């Protein structure tokens, strides 16, 4: 009871602070609305979503928060606590183009795609706040997109099916942010169920909710605080390599449309015929699909040991076959597994930095966080951010 009371007081405080920042930029007056959009962590199923595969994410407590107000001029004006002093502006009555500041392209894209879908929009003034680590692999971009969509729809007096909004936001990220992402991030941000992860079929769009019992299991995210900038568009490059693998398997069997349709036996038989790099990319994706489905089932029946084993296998595959890990993530994952009470740990997100996710026994959480933080700081001189989170519901107006 006390915990709920404290949470309520904390919520009231941030609402007051965010409203004050909003009025500091846009002035007082008018009816304001509040929108929250959670980040997400993917428990397992990495780089499978754009291969028509399976993923198992959950919405988390850190989130994007928006205070917004109707603007009758048709103009959208947006500010952010992350980029103090900057205001992104565009009109919903004119063709919306990408522009400066670049962070505003996420919002521009959502508005443009909603209009393209036949949704009449009004102008908006909005202040964004973010308790998600930017660039940490916890999908702050999808939270911004879905939150923007809900804000614009709320001010227009409209509602939309959550999955339809997720698809619109995915298209916005493709067209306006230039990131060819799969549907996982927008899906879980829009449709997450409190107390559950979601096993999601990225082809059929079918969901299976996986209960996460807080009394038996805690999800702990550890942010390495590093992000390695690699040239050459690593994400797009991985997609291209997967497409090369699909082209090979399609020639062997025209029924193959994505790596989702390929078995591990077929992958192994292609060894020496496929380019070795493409072979290893395919081996990761096909293996990861199987791991995601099995791990979701294991968590559902409370076989946390098996789920943890699969998470470790996932990390090793991402490190060795998909090559999207980095030294810091490898260290955090390996050190986490040395701590008593940890079932499994792996990198999560696109890679090259960001976070690991671990499944931990509740009584071990405090010791886990302290021991891993101390070890990591001793090794790299960096204090990691540790987030202990529950599975949250999807985005919505408060």
């Amino acid at each position: 009871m006390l915990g709920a009371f404290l949470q309520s007081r904390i919520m009231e405080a941030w609402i007051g602070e965010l409203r004050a920042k909003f009025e500091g930029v846009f002035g007082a007056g008018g009816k304001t609305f509040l929108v929250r959009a959670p980040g997400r962590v993917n428990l397992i199923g990495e780089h499978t979503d754009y291969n028509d595969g399976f993923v198992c994410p959950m919405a988390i407590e850190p989130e994007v928060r928006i205070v917004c107000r109707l603007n009758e001029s048709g103009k959208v004006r947006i500010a952010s606590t992350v980029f103090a002093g900057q205001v992104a502006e565009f009109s919903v009555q004119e063709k919306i183009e990408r522009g400066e500041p670049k962070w505003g392209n996420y919002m521009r894209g959502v508005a443009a795609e909603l209009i393209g879908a036949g949704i009449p929009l009004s102008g908006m003034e909005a202040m964004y706040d973010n308790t998600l680590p930017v660039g940490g692999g916890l999908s702050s971009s999808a939270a911004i997109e879905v939150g923007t969509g809900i804000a614009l729809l709320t001010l227009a007096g409209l509602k939309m099916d959550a999955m339809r909004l997720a698809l619109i936001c995915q298209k916005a990220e493709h067209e306006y942010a230039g990131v060819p992402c799969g549907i996982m991030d927008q899906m879980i941000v829009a449709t997450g169920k409190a107390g559950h992860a979601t096993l999601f079929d990225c082809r059929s769009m079918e969901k299976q909710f996986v209960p996460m019992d807080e009394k038996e299991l805690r999800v702990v995210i550890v942010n390495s605080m590093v992000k390695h900038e690699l040239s050459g568009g690593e994400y797009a490059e991985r997609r291209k390599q997967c497409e090369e693998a699909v082209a090979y398997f399609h020639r062997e069997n025209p029924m193959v449309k994505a790596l989702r349709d390929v078995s591990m036996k077929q992958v192994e038989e292609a060894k020496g015929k496929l380019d070795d790099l493409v072979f290893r990319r395919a081996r990761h994706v096909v293996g990861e699909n199987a791991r995601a489905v099995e791990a979701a089932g294991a968590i559902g029946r409370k076989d946390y040991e098996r789920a943890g084993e699969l998470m470790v296998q996932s990390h090793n595959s991402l490190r060795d076959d998909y090559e999207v890990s980095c030294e810091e993530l490898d260290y955090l994952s390996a050190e986490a597994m040395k701590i008593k009470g940890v079932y499994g740990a792996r990198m999560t997100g696109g890679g090259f930095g960001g976070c690991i996710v671990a499944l931990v026994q509740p009584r071990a959480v405090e010791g886990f966080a302290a021991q891993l933080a101390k070890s990591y700081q001793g090794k790299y001189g960096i204090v990691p951010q540790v987030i202990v989170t529950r599975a949250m519901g999807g985005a919505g107006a408060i």
Side-chain angles (χ1 to χ4, degrees), residues 25-293:
V25 175
F26 301 112
K31 183 178 181 181
T32 57
F33 294 85
L34 303 166
V35 173
R36 58 162 289 278
R40 69 95 185 94
V41 67
N42 192 23
L43 300 179
I44 194 165
E46 216 67 73
H47 290 280
T48 52
D49 57 346
Y50 53 83
N51 286 289
D52 280 3
F54 293 90
V55 293
C56 190
M58 68 179 223
I60 59 176
E61 292 179 73
E63 61 191 9
V64 168
R65 301 161 174 175
I66 305 169
V67 172
C68 58
R69 180 174 67 197
L70 188 67
N71 179 342
E72 297 290 359
S73 71
K75 288 185 178 179
V76 173
R77 300 180 67 223
I78 295 167
S80 169
T81 58
V82 177
F83 301 99
Q86 298 182 22
V87 176
E89 184 173 320
F90 58 92
S91 173
V92 296
Q93 297 173 350
E94 301 171 4
K95 185 178 179 182
I96 300 172
E97 306 277 5
R98 282 183 285 186
E100 295 292 336
K102 288 184 178 178
W103 56 263
N105 287 331
Y106 291 99
M107 296 78 160
R108 292 183 185 98
V110 174
E113 296 301 335
L114 283 170
I115 292 167
I119 309 299
L121 298 181
S122 302
M124 174 176 77
E125 292 162 342
M127 172 65 75
Y128 287 62
D129 191 26
N130 193 355
T131 63
L132 279 162
V134 177
L138 300 179
S139 210
S140 57
S141 58
I144 287 168
E145 291 155 6
V146 175
T148 298
I150 291 174
L152 288 165
L153 290 165
T154 299
L155 293 179
L158 301 170
K159 290 187 177 181
M160 179 180 284
D161 173 77
M163 197 60 217
R164 184 186 179 199
L165 177 59
L167 289 164
I168 283 173
C169 291
Q170 180 198 23
K171 189 178 180 188
E173 186 149 345
H174 288 184
E175 300 296 329
Y176 280 75
V179 179
C181 62
I183 188 58
M184 175 181 69
D185 294 354
Q186 291 82 4
M187 177 281 299
I188 193 65
V189 170
T191 71
K193 181 178 180 181
H196 294 74
T198 300
L199 178 64
F200 185 71
D201 184 332
C202 296
R203 171 173 284 171
S204 70
M205 305 289 179
E206 291 179 358
K207 303 183 195 72
Q208 178 183 325
F209 294 115
V210 181
M212 303 288 290
D213 190 336
E214 284 185 56
K215 297 184 183 70
E216 299 184 2
L217 190 68
R218 290 291 170 86
V219 174
V220 184
I221 301 161
V222 183
N223 187 355
S224 69
M225 310 303 286
V226 300
K227 189 68 178 176
H228 295 287
E229 298 296 337
L230 299 178
S231 61
E234 299 284 345
Y235 186 95
E237 188 177 314
R238 295 303 185 282
R239 287 196 72 148
K240 183 181 177 184
Q241 290 160 348
C242 290
E243 289 163 5
E244 287 179 36
V246 170
Y248 170 85
F249 290 113
H250 180 75
R251 288 193 295 271
E252 297 285 313
N253 178 2
M255 297 297 288
V256 172
K257 307 296 183 186
L259 285 175
R260 156 73 173 273
D261 303 315
V262 179
S263 69
M264 188 56 77
K265 182 174 182 290
Q266 288 172 294
V267 172
E268 293 299 342
E269 288 173 350
K271 192 170 187 177
K273 301 172 186 176
L274 265 176
D275 173 83
D276 182 65
L277 194 62
V278 174
F279 164 78
R280 289 190 290 112
R281 302 298 190 249
R283 182 167 62 183
H284 165 73
V285 172
V286 174
E288 189 76 349
N289 271 328
R291 285 188 289 269
V293 173

Side-chain angles (χ1 to χ4, degrees), residues 353-390:
C355 300
I356 68 160
V357 60
L359 296 184
V360 183
Q361 294 174 6
R363 66 177 180 272
V365 167
E366 190 174 335
F368 169 83
Q371 188 173 333
L372 194 57
K374 181 180 179 181
S375 174
Y376 186 72
Q377 186 176 5
K379 174 76 171 176
Y380 294 102
I382 300 170
V383 179
Q385 179 185 17
V386 180
I387 301 167
V388 183
T389 183
R390 297 171 294 154

